[in-house]
Amino acid sequence: MDDRQRYDRATAALEPPFAILDLAAMRANAADLVRRAAGKPIRVASKSVRSRPLLERILAMDGFRGVMAFTLPEALWLAAHGFTDILVAYPTADRHALAALAGDPGAAREITVIVDSPAHLDFIEAAVAAVHPRAEIRICIDIDAGYVALGGRFRAGALRSPIREPGQAADLAGVVAKRPGFRLAGLMAYESQIAGVGDDPPAGPAYARLIRAMQTRSARDLILRRGRIVNAVRQIADLEFVNGGGTGSVERTTREKAVTEVAAGSGFFHPRLFDFYRGFTGHPAALFALPVVRRPAPDTVTVLGGGYLASGAPGPSRLPQPYLPAGLRYARDEGAGEVQTPLLGQAAEDLRIGDRVWFRHAKAGEMCERFDALHLVDGDTLVESVPTYRGEGRTFL
């Protein structure tokens, strides 16, 4: 059987829309991440998974250690369910969650919050001022890993931290060290311009060469700059971890001596945006099925719903990919719609009312915000259904 036949057979008792996870594909993707990490532990980015039972499955595999959460309420919830070593990778302005963290010594031992300025420390202190007794709060400093050239006129990479240079990092580390109730535990530097940008884009060879040149120069800059930052901060605090990288840069980031662990999340599901890398080939693991509900023309079908656009700069790359059967494309004037999505192409001629069209999301975890469960498929068998965050009534963003 081909993949479409397997998925149709495994989910024959389900009514679409629904989402599945191909366990064999996910296991292969996880094994490849471990191979690429070359012995360094991989911290699992929960924003790309968004299912508590699935996070437990992944962390039970060899090579994975710790969670990279995206909000502090999420981290508190995970800690309450037994997860340990949780890094909140984005600053928080949630006063209630900070007070809950400071008032829970068990959670405070497992959760590390991120800062990039003394203003973050001031905010945290104000939020927890009324908490007595107050647990020590673990801190990670976020370092800007973006690539800057041409005297600052060119930049690649996410706009994150203002901390770029060793002196800046050391100054902030010193501020943390001097404030009672805080402990500096780690550094993080996410090179999104390498980890999240494919070096083999569909735009063509000329653009690909530009991407690769930028990434090569960025990697050289980051090896030196990140190493110097880590050395400067280690003069002030005994760091437990230095986190870097992402799915697209695992093998490159692990070669840096200064980095003690890498992060990965999208690589488990291998969404559409991760098809365009030369260094690895993943297996599409997470898909969603939509039913055919109309046939407006012989070469056109309409499926229910489908407007599950990914975050980021708007454009065709943020649309889900009509995946199975192969050969379907969007109507130019409609795209992926709120309640219906027309699909064109020769493959539509063989589809009938009630048939499924299988899609891949452009990004990983965002798909789980649309569905309350992931149906786990092994071969042509549905082995289990597990809740997503949404299925457990949790929407953290």
Side-chain angles (χ1 to χ4, degrees):
M1 288 184 289
D2 61 24
D3 286 344
R4 183 185 173 203
Q5 291 172 321
R6 287 196 301 113
Y7 299 148
D8 282 348
R9 175 176 290 189
T11 62
L14 302 177
E15 291 295 337
F18 58 80
I20 69 166
L21 185 70
D22 186 325
L23 286 177
M26 191 202 74
R27 288 191 294 262
N29 293 337
D32 194 52
L33 285 169
V34 172
R35 176 192 62 80
R36 293 168 60 207
K40 287 190 178 178
I42 300 172
R43 187 179 290 274
V44 181
S46 64
K47 78 176 184 66
S48 299
V49 178
R50 301 195 198 197
S51 168
R52 186 168 57 86
L54 193 54
L55 285 170
E56 291 171 344
R57 277 178 175 255
I58 292 170
L59 288 166
M61 300 177 184
D62 291 338
F64 301 99
R65 187 180 71 200
V67 175
M68 178 176 282
F70 53 92
T71 74
L72 181 54
E74 177 207 13
L76 289 164
W77 179 66
L78 291 175
H81 283 87
F83 286 81
T84 60
D85 189 7
I86 306 167
L87 168 63
V88 182
Y90 304 88
T92 184
D94 189 320
R95 295 177 177 85
H96 296 298
L98 285 165
L101 176 66
D104 186 340
R109 284 193 295 269
E110 302 299 340
I111 295 173
T112 304
V113 298
I114 206 161
V115 305
D116 62 34
S117 72
H120 283 136
L121 299 174
D122 294 341
F123 187 94
I124 295 171
E125 285 189 325
V128 305
V131 179
H132 299 289
R134 167 185 160 184
E136 184 177 63
I137 295 177
R138 293 165 51 85
I139 297 293
C140 174
I141 294 177
D142 194 7
I143 305 299
D144 178 25
Y147 177 59
V148 176
L150 302 177
R153 294 191 299 276
F154 174 84
R155 178 188 169 88
L159 291 167
R160 292 174 63 103
S161 170
I163 306 296
R164 284 189 57 83
E165 302 301 331
Q168 294 174 307
D171 287 346
L172 183 53
V175 173
V176 176
K178 292 175 183 177
R179 294 206 185 190
F182 294 102
R183 180 157 67 90
L184 182 58
L187 296 178
M188 174 184 168
Y190 172 53
E191 55 268 39
S192 64
Q193 71 279 10
I194 303 173
V197 177
D199 61 357
D200 191 21
Y207 184 63
R209 286 193 293 271
L210 289 174
I211 293 291
R212 293 167 198 166
M214 177 275 293
Q215 290 180 338
T216 298
R217 288 171 172 79
S218 177
R220 289 173 182 166
D221 164 74
L222 194 54
I223 288 172
L224 295 174
R225 188 159 55 86
R226 184 153 45 194
R228 290 168 179 162
I229 287 171
V230 172
N231 287 337
V233 174
R234 286 196 185 278
Q235 304 303 310
I236 298 166
D238 292 327
L239 297 175
E240 297 175 22
F241 65 88
V242 177
N243 180 278
T247 291
S249 71
V250 168
E251 65 276 16
R252 180 175 256 165
T253 305
T254 55
R255 289 198 291 265
E256 294 186 37
K257 292 182 179 179
V259 174
T260 66
E261 62 175 39
V262 291
S266 297
F268 299 107
F269 288 3
H270 193 77
R272 174 63 172 162
L273 285 176
F274 283 80
D275 284 349
F276 308 113
Y277 289 81
R278 294 181 303 161
F280 65 95
T281 301
H283 303 270
L287 302 97
F288 62 91
L290 301 179
V292 173
V293 292
R294 300 180 195 264
R295 287 187 50 82
D299 65 345
T300 304
V301 296
T302 301
V303 296
L304 181 69
Y308 309 157
L309 276 63
S311 60
S317 68
R318 262 47 192 178
L319 293 173
Q321 178 197 18
Y323 182 53
L324 298 172
L328 295 172
R329 67 183 186 277
Y330 289 111
R332 182 178 300 176
D333 295 335
E334 293 197 47
E338 178 186 7
V339 291
Q340 70 164 38
T341 297
L343 298 169
L344 289 64
Q346 186 175 350
E349 296 177 4
D350 297 325
L351 291 172
R352 298 293 177 261
I353 302 298
D355 286 350
R356 287 108 180 254
V357 175
W358 294 90
F359 290 77
R360 297 170 64 200
H361 205 281
K363 300 182 79 172
E366 291 182 17
M367 182 189 76
C368 292
E369 296 299 325
R370 295 285 183 167
F371 299 96
D372 61 6
L374 286 172
H375 302 286
L376 309 185
V377 172
D378 215 345
D380 63 348
T381 303
L382 178 62
V383 296
E384 187 181 357
S385 297
V386 299
T388 61
Y389 281 7
R390 175 178 172 173
E392 295 198 71
R394 303 288 174 165
T395 51
F396 295 109
L397 283 178

